[in-house]
Amino acid sequence: MHPLRIEPLGDQALRVVFGTSISVETNQHIRSLSWMLKEQKIEGVLEWVPTYTTLTVYYDPLIISFSSLEEKMQYLAVGTGDVPPAKIYRLPVYYGGDMGPDLQKVSEQNGLEWEKVIQIHSAKSYLIYMLGFTPGFPYLGGMDERLATPRLAVPRRQVAAGSVGIAGAQTGVYSINSPGGWNIIGRTPVKLFDPGQSVPVLLEAGNYIRFTPVTLEQYKEITEQLEEGTYEVSYEEGTSDGASSRP
Amino acid sequence: MKQQELCYVRKPGLFTTIQDSGRYGFQRQGISPAGAMDPYALALANMLVGNEASSAVLEITITGPTLLFKQDTVAAVTGADVEPILNGNRIAMWKSFAIEKGDELRFKGARSGMRAYLGVQGGFAGEGRMSSHETYVRANIGGVNGRELQRGDTIFCYGGKQAAVPPGTALHEDLIPGYPNKQVLRVLAGPEEDAFTEEALTTFYQSLFTVTNEADRMGLRLKGARLAHARPADILSDAATFGTVQVAAEGQPIILMADRQTTGGYTRIANVISVDLSKAAQVRPGQQVSFRKVTLRDAHELMRKERKLMRSLATRLADQQT
């Protein structure tokens, strides 16, 4: 690989630039370097944030200098490392009704029956490129273009946590109650962000989400199981192309 | 360490939260480190009472709370001059003082600056969520139920054996910052500096920007001459940090502060250097800021100096401990 562009973001962070556009390949490079940072435990490196095209590394410049960290990043970015396989999380979703008030609009805009919208939306695995915006909010890639729908002209003041939405050619899940302008087509009972848990955020960049349609009965059942602590989000290992079941 | 009931909140003040030096390690999950807006005042409020510089304090915004103490402690108030009043008597800022069980501490309100920091011996104890005590209101984490103080709250502190700096310990006046109406913020060039016209960059570095009323723990929205873009103002969402100066299509800068989002989608023209974040934390709506570019080497040298100063101060204060 050519030397990567590495530059400061303020005086306590450095950004490694892997490309200029969203691609699965770029994401794999970023995931690989993230993994190596986790493995290497470089002194002075505090944490790192993967985004669509960059990995931003937060460091203490009085422990490790910009130039030595820059050199390390160039070196590590060349390697591929023994990155573990990605996970595909299965998120149960109740589509439509009060929990998906914009399902009708998405159907009409795209000339599809609402059953077809659900089928298309739940047929693919979506790569989590990054988390941001709010705690645990996943930026997903790979939505079928037949579902593309412009954002609401007037954003809602409050969108419930777990709401599954479409904005333009993107799909996503609201991780906390927040204002928002996405078209809401359904809701998952699973909490993407739960500060009471030892691992407060369920998802990780580089993994995948797959939505599984459930009935209202099942939604309520899962909600109860979540409250009792008896429900666990299932996952397989693999990528969007092919998944190998986990024993 | 054992938590003890420290005080009862009679009045909460405008916006009072428990803050420490921040919760790091969760930004890749979209969770901001939050923490004190003014890291310098945080450190000194702690050091004056013998705590680690990063311990939890109360961050007070303009109008302070009224607190009734349930046990003895040693305290210090730093940052904006909020005129602390203990049992009706005015007490000095940036100086440790004794509080006894039954005492009432209130504040007249900030004369200059935006935020003051109340440190107590042992440090405040918030909900110890995710290895920190500070409050990130946007995500309802930490502090007192993940929110600002309310009337009737009881606040806890850490007790047990503590070495205390004796009451009456003050700082050399050179260490006490002033909060003028105009602040110069030193910055590094941002990743999208080249997304702006030459003229916009000249304007950015040569004119004054006024802090608008939209100024809180998330960010300071500024108003000044319009900064024109040479390339689109929207970027692919990318990391943002404490002090990142974003400019959206409207051409006005926003300085991202403690409760910032971890990622953002607007062009980043510059980034305030670490040692000047404390200045940015204290500017009030209506006051003005200007920007001066420095090198990364300068920024790191200034950090080194500040940390050295803190270390020598900690040593000197430790010598006075009882």
Side-chain angles (χ1 to χ4, degrees), chain A residues 6 11 45 64 73 92 103 128 134 137 143 154 161 170 173 175 183 194 209 228 242:
Chain A
I6 294 181
D11 52 15
V45 168
I64 185 166
M73 292 301 104
L103 180 63
I128 304 164
T134 54
F137 181 91
M143 191 180 71
V154 182
Q170 277 183 293
V173 188
S175 56
N183 300 283
D194 187 350
I209 288 180
E228 290 162 5

Side-chain angles (χ1 to χ4, degrees), chain A residues 3-77:
Chain A
L4 293 159
R5 188 153 67 101
I6 294 181
E7 57 190 23
L9 176 71
D11 52 15
Q12 296 191 66
L14 150 165
R15 51 198 300 272
V16 185
V17 183
F18 285 88
T20 51
S21 60
I22 302 173
S23 83
V24 175
E25 197 199 338
T26 299
N27 177 265
Q28 280 167 353
H29 288 304
I30 293 170
R31 184 160 183 262
S32 163
L33 184 56
S34 301
W35 174 254
M36 277 186 276
L37 281 171
K38 193 175 171 184
E39 290 282 285
Q40 297 258 329
K41 297 186 175 69
I42 300 166
E43 216 194 332
V45 168
L46 306 172
E47 60 177 315
W48 49 91
V49 177
T51 62
Y52 283 120
T53 58
T54 65
L55 185 72
T56 296
V57 183
Y58 290 83
Y59 68 103
D60 182 339
L62 305 190
I63 296 177
I64 185 166
S65 71
F66 179 86
S67 55
S68 33
L69 186 57
E70 180 185 23
E71 212 173 287
K72 272 207 161 71
M73 292 301 104
Q74 290 288 7
Y75 171 75
L76 288 178

Side-chain angles (χ1 to χ4, degrees), chain B residues 147-163:
Chain B
R147 53 158 172 76
E148 66 269 34
L149 294 194
Q150 286 176 5
R151 176 196 295 266
D153 282 343
T154 296
I155 323 176
F156 293 76
C157 72
Y158 282 109
K161 257 176 116 178
Q162 290 287 331

Side-chain angles (χ1 to χ4, degrees), chain A residues 7-12 15 20-22 47-54 56 58-62 66 130-136 139 176 193 195-196 200-201, chain B residues 24-31 33 129-130 136 138-141 188 191-192 236-241 244 261-263 268 271 273-274 296 299-300 303-304 307:
Chain A
E7 57 190 23
L9 176 71
D11 52 15
Q12 296 191 66
R15 51 198 300 272
T20 51
S21 60
I22 302 173
E47 60 177 315
W48 49 91
V49 177
T51 62
Y52 283 120
T53 58
T54 65
T56 296
Y58 290 83
Y59 68 103
D60 182 339
L62 305 190
F66 179 86
M130 54 187 274
L131 301 173
F133 174 53
T134 54
Y139 285 81
I176 58 173
F193 172 65
V201 170
Chain B
Y24 286 87
F26 298 94
Q27 290 193 81
R28 82 192 71 143
Q29 300 174 333
I31 301 168
R129 285 283 162 85
M130 295 150 65
Y136 180 31
R138 228 167 105 79
N140 297 121
I141 322 174
L188 300 178
E192 282 80 41
L236 276 179
S237 286
D238 200 356
T241 189
T244 298
Q261 294 178 203
T262 53
T263 59
R268 297 157 292 182
N271 212 105
I273 66 172
S274 297
L296 184 62
H300 287 165
M303 268 181 87
R304 190 167 291 123
R307 219 174 280 182

Side-chain angles (χ1 to χ4, degrees), chain B residues 226-297:
Chain B
R226 185 170 180 274
L227 304 169
H229 285 84
R231 287 200 279 123
D234 293 355
I235 58 164
L236 276 179
S237 286
D238 200 356
T241 189
F242 204 165
T244 298
V245 186
Q246 286 186 332
V247 183
E250 55 163 11
Q252 300 294 339
I254 298 169
I255 307 175
L256 299 181
M257 298 298 288
D259 282 359
R260 64 200 175 270
Q261 294 178 203
T262 53
T263 59
Y266 299 121
T267 43
R268 297 157 292 182
I269 193 170
N271 212 105
V272 178
I273 66 172
S274 297
V275 299
D276 279 1
L277 293 171
S278 292
K279 291 187 201 166
Q282 296 291 356
V283 289
R284 291 180 157 201
Q287 292 186 331
Q288 291 180 309
V289 297
S290 61
F291 299 98
R292 188 159 74 76
K293 197 193 272 189
V294 296
T295 64
L296 184 62
R297 185 188 293 264

Side-chain angles (χ1 to χ4, degrees), chain A:
Chain A
M1 208 189 301
H2 300 293
L4 293 159
R5 188 153 67 101
I6 294 181
E7 57 190 23
L9 176 71
D11 52 15
Q12 296 191 66
L14 150 165
R15 51 198 300 272
V16 185
V17 183
F18 285 88
T20 51
S21 60
I22 302 173
S23 83
V24 175
E25 197 199 338
T26 299
N27 177 265
Q28 280 167 353
H29 288 304
I30 293 170
R31 184 160 183 262
S32 163
L33 184 56
S34 301
W35 174 254
M36 277 186 276
L37 281 171
K38 193 175 171 184
E39 290 282 285
Q40 297 258 329
K41 297 186 175 69
I42 300 166
E43 216 194 332
V45 168
L46 306 172
E47 60 177 315
W48 49 91
V49 177
T51 62
Y52 283 120
T53 58
T54 65
L55 185 72
T56 296
V57 183
Y58 290 83
Y59 68 103
D60 182 339
L62 305 190
I63 296 177
I64 185 166
S65 71
F66 179 86
S67 55
S68 33
L69 186 57
E70 180 185 23
E71 212 173 287
K72 272 207 161 71
M73 292 301 104
Q74 290 288 7
Y75 171 75
L76 288 178
V78 181
T80 47
D82 205 3
V83 187
K87 289 177 184 167
I88 305 173
Y89 294 97
R90 289 253 175 207
L91 290 186
V93 175
Y94 177 71
Y95 285 95
D98 290 344
M99 290 189 264
D102 302 319
L103 180 63
Q104 192 63 29
K105 184 188 154 199
V106 173
S107 305
E108 281 167 17
Q109 289 252 340
N110 295 291
L112 298 164
E113 295 291 323
W114 59 265
E115 291 92 343
K116 188 72 184 166
V117 171
I118 296 172
Q119 192 209 322
I120 296 170
H121 192 258
S122 58
K124 285 183 89 175
S125 300
Y126 300 103
L127 175 58
I128 304 164
Y129 280 97
M130 54 187 274
L131 301 173
F133 174 53
T134 54
F137 181 91
Y139 285 81
L140 304 176
M143 191 180 71
D144 193 307
E145 282 177 14
R146 284 177 289 171
L147 301 182
T149 313
R151 283 166 202 264
L152 304 182
V154 182
R156 290 191 171 90
R157 292 176 69 91
Q158 180 87 314
V159 176
S163 292
V164 177
I166 291 175
Q170 277 183 293
T171 186
V173 188
Y174 282 81
S175 56
I176 58 173
N177 297 332
S178 57
W182 293 40
N183 300 283
I184 305 303
I185 59 169
R187 194 186 298 171
T188 179
V190 173
K191 284 182 177 163
L192 299 190
F193 172 65
D194 187 350
Q197 300 295 318
S198 57
V199 180
V201 170
L202 173 71
L203 307 170
E204 203 179 298
N207 286 329
Y208 293 81
I209 288 180
R210 192 158 189 159
F211 300 108
T212 308
V214 295
T215 62
L216 193 55
E217 279 298 297
Q218 288 170 314
Y219 180 97
K220 285 176 181 163
E221 216 170 280
I222 296 168
T223 306
E224 278 170 24
Q225 288 169 357
L226 281 163
E227 276 162 16
E228 290 162 5
T230 53
Y231 185 87
E232 258 189 64
V233 177
S234 66
Y235 66 88
E236 303 142 51
E237 284 176 352
T239 64
S240 56
D241 310 322
S244 59
S245 256
R246 197 171 170 272

Side-chain angles (χ1 to χ4, degrees), chain B residues 71-244:
Chain B
Q71 67 167 58
D72 298 356
T73 189
V74 176
V77 188
T78 62
D81 185 1
V82 282
E83 299 198 38
I85 295 163
L86 186 66
N87 301 328
N89 300 316
R90 176 74 211 274
I91 48 164
M93 296 281 304
W94 304 90
K95 189 175 180 180
S96 65
F97 60 97
I99 290 178
E100 286 175 10
K101 186 177 174 181
D103 283 356
E104 186 197 72
L105 179 65
R106 60 189 179 90
F107 305 87
K108 239 180 125 181
R111 292 194 300 186
S112 69
M114 267 304 269
R115 294 176 175 87
Y117 294 84
L118 170 67
V120 293
Q121 189 187 337
F124 284 95
E127 276 179 28
R129 285 283 162 85
M130 295 150 65
S131 65
S132 169
H133 294 282
E134 48 88 351
T135 322
Y136 180 31
V137 174
R138 228 167 105 79
N140 297 121
I141 322 174
V144 178
N145 300 324
R147 53 158 172 76
E148 66 269 34
L149 294 194
Q150 286 176 5
R151 176 196 295 266
D153 282 343
T154 296
I155 323 176
F156 293 76
C157 72
Y158 282 109
K161 257 176 116 178
Q162 290 287 331
V165 171
T169 304
L171 294 173
H172 190 276
E173 60 181 21
D174 289 354
L175 295 173
I176 301 172
Y179 303 115
N181 290 328
K182 285 180 187 158
Q183 279 283 18
V184 180
L185 302 176
R186 288 166 292 185
V187 298
L188 300 178
E192 282 80 41
E193 190 184 67
D194 60 356
F196 295 86
T197 62
E198 276 299 318
E199 203 192 339
L201 290 174
T202 308
T203 305
F204 182 72
Y205 287 109
Q206 292 188 357
S207 59
L208 286 166
F209 293 88
T210 305
V211 180
T212 67
N213 285 323
E214 288 174 75
D216 58 19
R217 285 185 43 86
M218 274 186 77
L220 314 176
R221 198 177 279 269
L222 308 179
K223 193 167 169 41
R226 185 170 180 274
L227 304 169
H229 285 84
R231 287 200 279 123
D234 293 355
I235 58 164
L236 276 179
S237 286
D238 200 356
T241 189
F242 204 165
T244 298

